[in-house]
């Protein structure tokens, strides 16, 4: 028991370099492996909050807004599936989440620096520090601290990215943002309805697939 406690303390003080190398390993060799030491366990705060990563996309305007919506919606769904639905279980959702989070974070930092300023790009640092602390909590097997810091990573990341998108797209009016949200909701509900109808038809033997 003393050895386990000492190992947990050592993990909890891991340097940033080790965090980065561990993250790269989890993106590749451990793509589908869970990093949670406590097994299947869910938190609606730490896991469910990831779905809100769709929000920054609603500030987009112009010809590319459809692709931007799609990227942020994928990020939200993948985050939710990894951090909540399959939390503590081996699943390909974990690898997908690690790749999407890395690509989206670096992409947002690059765009913020390119179109706004260095200081706008630096807004990513507080959420990233929360992510670092959540990883330390995982290695120390501290569920409470993991929930706290991973929730703040999601809240800070969504808030920062939404603010950057709002600035980059010339501060769209609230009505435009609400219209974007409504458009996305209608598209998603329509797609779900079509898939559900097709599934019911197939299950009833009315379709040949």
């Amino acid at each position: 028991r003393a050895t386990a406690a000492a190992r947990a303390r050592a993990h909890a003080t891991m340097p940033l370099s080790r965090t980065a190398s561990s993250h790269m390993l989890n993106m590749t060799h451990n793509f589908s492996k869970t990093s949670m030491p406590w097994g299947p366990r869910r938190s609606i705060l730490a896991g469910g909050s990831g779905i809100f990563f769709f929000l920054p996309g609603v500030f987009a305007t112009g010809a590319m807004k459809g692709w931007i919506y799609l990227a942020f919606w994928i990020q939200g769904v993948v985050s939710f599936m990894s951090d909540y639905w399959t939390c503590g279980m081996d699943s390909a959702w974990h690898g997908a989440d690690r790749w999407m989070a890395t690509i989206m974070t670096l992409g947002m930092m690059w765009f913020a620096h390119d179109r706004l300023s260095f200081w706008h790009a630096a807004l990513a640092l507080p959420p990233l520090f929360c992510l670092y602390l959540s990883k330390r909590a995982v290695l120390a097997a501290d569920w409470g601290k993991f929930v706290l810091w991973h929730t703040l990573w999601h809240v800070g990341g969504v808030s920062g990215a939404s603010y950057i998108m709002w600035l980059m797209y010339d501060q769209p009016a609230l009505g435009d943002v609400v219209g974007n949200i409504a458009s996305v909701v209608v598209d998603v509900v329509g797609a779900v309805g079509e898939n559900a109808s097709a599934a019911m038809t197939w299950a009833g033997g009315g379709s040949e697939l």
Side-chain angles (χ1 to χ4, degrees), residues 28-48:
T28 53
H29 183 71
N30 295 330
F31 184 88
S32 298
K33 297 292 184 181
T34 181
S35 58
M36 305 302 178
W38 39 70
R41 190 174 183 180
R42 293 173 177 169
S43 165
I44 194 63
L45 290 175

Side-chain angles (χ1 to χ4, degrees), residues 15 19 47 49 52 56 67 74 88 101 127 132 137 161 165 168-169 194 209:
T19 303
S49 58
F52 292 105
W67 292 106
I74 291 174
Y132 165 68
M165 291 290 289
M168 285 200 307
Y169 285 92
E194 290 178 4
L209 298 178

Side-chain angles (χ1 to χ4, degrees), residues 41-121:
R41 190 174 183 180
R42 293 173 177 169
S43 165
I44 194 63
L45 290 175
S49 58
I51 195 67
F52 292 105
F53 273 112
F54 83 90
L55 282 173
V58 305
F59 294 97
T61 58
M64 293 294 293
K65 72 176 185 179
W67 292 106
I68 295 171
Y69 288 164
L70 180 61
F72 280 105
W73 268 105
I74 291 174
Q75 174 64 77
V77 170
V78 167
S79 177
F80 175 83
M81 294 301 296
S82 174
D83 292 345
Y84 182 76
W85 197 258
T86 61
C87 186
M89 300 176 280
D90 288 345
S91 170
W93 287 111
H94 303 315
D97 182 38
R98 292 158 189 157
W99 275 97
M100 279 297 299
T102 301
I103 292 170
M104 294 293 283
T105 300
L106 293 177
M108 283 299 301
M109 292 178 71
W110 185 86
F111 279 113
H113 180 272
D114 182 63
R115 300 190 183 184
L116 298 171
S117 73
F118 166 82
W119 298 110
H120 287 93

